[in-house]
């Protein structure tokens, strides 16, 4: 069964600084991995997904993530933080096969952006 | 594309009461999912439908919970005899289905926040 671990429940960066949000996964099958963002009192919006094509995945709003099989990681980065990036970010793995089709989420990382 | 909609957005109820939530998926999406999110946690899977068939239920879905998708379009989630531990955000998502589409994006609705007093 898949599991997802997000290191750091809270991350604070200055506006313009690099954003790095960490995600590690465990999976016995080829993983499909996702990053979602959640703004207060809203649903989740997909930032990007890895589906076994390119290991460097580019998403919306300048975010990207690199799949590293040797490290079982899928960290999310953005070169320059913007105030509007302040939100909660969730890494997820797809648990699939047979009748199963569900996302397994990490516990989330709350990103604060300081002016 | 109107997105996934959920109704109501907020529900306050007293312990022991029954509540029902509705989810309208993106039209032509044949997969529909329910998740529950408690404070400080990531969403947890509850159940999912392929068209009108409920294909998987989590152990989190106790006997007090029931979900339906009678015509393969909208879905309802009912909680009977609510308990304070049921207080959470209930999220609905939909995705295209079919062979080879299992890794398609799940589009989430805004959620229904339930508070049980």
């Amino acid at each position: 069964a898949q599991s997802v671990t997000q290191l750091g429940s809270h991350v604070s960066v200055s506006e313009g600084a690099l954003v790095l949000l960490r995600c590690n996964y465990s999976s016995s099958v080829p993983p499909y991995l996702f990053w979602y963002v959640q703004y207060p009192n809203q649903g989740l919006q997909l930032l990007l997904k890895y589906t076994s094509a390119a290991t460097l995945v580019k998403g919306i709003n300048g975010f990207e993530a690199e799949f590293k099989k040797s490290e079982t990681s899928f960290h999310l980065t953005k070169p320059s933080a913007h105030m509007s990036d302040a939100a909660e970010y969730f890494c997820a793995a797809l648990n699939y096969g047979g009748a199963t089709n569900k996302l397994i989420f990490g516990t989330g990382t709350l990103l604060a952006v300081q002016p | 594309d109107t997105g996934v909609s959920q109704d109501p957005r907020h529900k306050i109820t007293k312990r022991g009461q029954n509540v029902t939530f509705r989810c309208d998926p993106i039209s032509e999406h044949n997969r529909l999912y329910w998740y529950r999110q408690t404070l400080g946690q990531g969403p947890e899977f509850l159940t999912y439908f392929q068209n009108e068939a409920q294909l998987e239920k989590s152990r989190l879905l106790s006997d007090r919970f029931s979900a339906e998708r009678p015509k393969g379009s909208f879905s309802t989630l009912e909680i009977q005899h609510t308990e304070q531990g049921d207080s959470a955000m209930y999220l609905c998502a939909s995705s295209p289905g079919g062979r080879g589409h299992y890794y398609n994006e799940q589009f989430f609705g805004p959620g229904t926040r339930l508070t049980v007093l």
Side-chain angles (χ1 to χ4, degrees):
Chain A
Q2 279 89 342
S3 67
V4 174
T5 302
Q6 291 184 245
L7 293 177
S9 58
H10 292 79
V11 170
S12 182
V13 300
S14 298
E15 191 173 20
L18 171 71
V19 175
L20 170 61
L21 305 182
R22 299 179 185 275
C23 174
N24 289 86
Y25 70 91
S26 68
S27 177
S28 57
V29 295
Y32 297 107
L33 301 168
F34 304 79
W35 275 100
Y36 281 86
V37 61
Q38 186 176 34
Y39 296 97
N41 298 314
Q42 294 187 27
L44 282 73
Q45 180 185 9
L46 182 71
L47 285 175
L48 48 81
K49 64 182 180 183
Y50 169 76
T51 57
S52 74
T55 56
L56 183 62
V57 181
K58 294 187 183 299
I60 62 172
N61 302 339
F63 285 93
E64 61 182 37
E66 186 173 8
F67 173 73
K68 292 186 176 180
K69 184 177 180 180
S70 61
E71 299 178 6
T72 61
S73 68
F74 189 56
H75 301 331
L76 182 71
T77 60
K78 182 174 181 178
S80 176
H82 191 272
M83 296 295 289
S84 62
D85 295 327
E88 190 153 25
Y89 292 80
F90 292 95
C91 182
L94 184 69
N95 189 340
Y96 64 96
T100 293
N101 185 275
K102 60 190 175 189
L103 290 171
I104 307 299
F105 286 89
T107 52
T109 297
L110 188 62
L111 176 66
V113 181
Q114 308 299 328
Chain B
D1 180 3
T2 57
V4 178
S5 61
Q6 293 187 244
D7 183 69
R9 294 290 307 276
H10 303 273
K11 178 70 176 180
I12 300 174
T13 191
K14 293 182 178 180
R15 188 175 54 187
Q17 297 295 305
N18 299 343
V19 295
T20 299
F21 310 142
R22 177 181 171 122
C23 171
D24 287 89
I26 294 172
S27 61
E28 298 180 358
H29 278 189
N30 54 17
R31 287 187 174 164
L32 186 148
Y33 310 79
W34 286 99
Y35 292 83
R36 183 174 71 183
Q37 185 179 22
T38 53
L39 201 62
Q41 298 297 317
E44 296 174 291
F45 171 80
L46 291 178
T47 188
Y48 101 95
F49 294 84
Q50 171 93 21
N51 299 312
E52 67 275 8
Q54 189 174 20
L55 296 188
E56 187 177 3
K57 293 193 294 185
S58 163
R59 283 174 289 181
L60 292 175
L61 216 64
S62 74
D63 292 344
R64 297 185 297 105
F65 288 70
S66 63
E68 294 183 342
R69 195 182 183 197
K71 298 183 179 179
S73 57
F74 73 91
S75 175
T76 58
L77 177 68
E78 181 183 16
I79 309 174
Q80 295 185 325
H81 312 302
T82 52
E83 302 173 354
Q84 289 184 323
D86 297 331
S87 295
M89 175 79 86
Y90 290 84
L91 294 165
C92 177
S94 70
S95 73
R99 185 177 293 277
H101 293 281
Y102 44 76
Y103 53 77
N104 276 358
E105 172 185 357
Q106 294 183 21
F107 293 80
F108 282 82
T112 295
R113 182 168 296 282
L114 173 66
T115 302
V116 182
L117 302 176

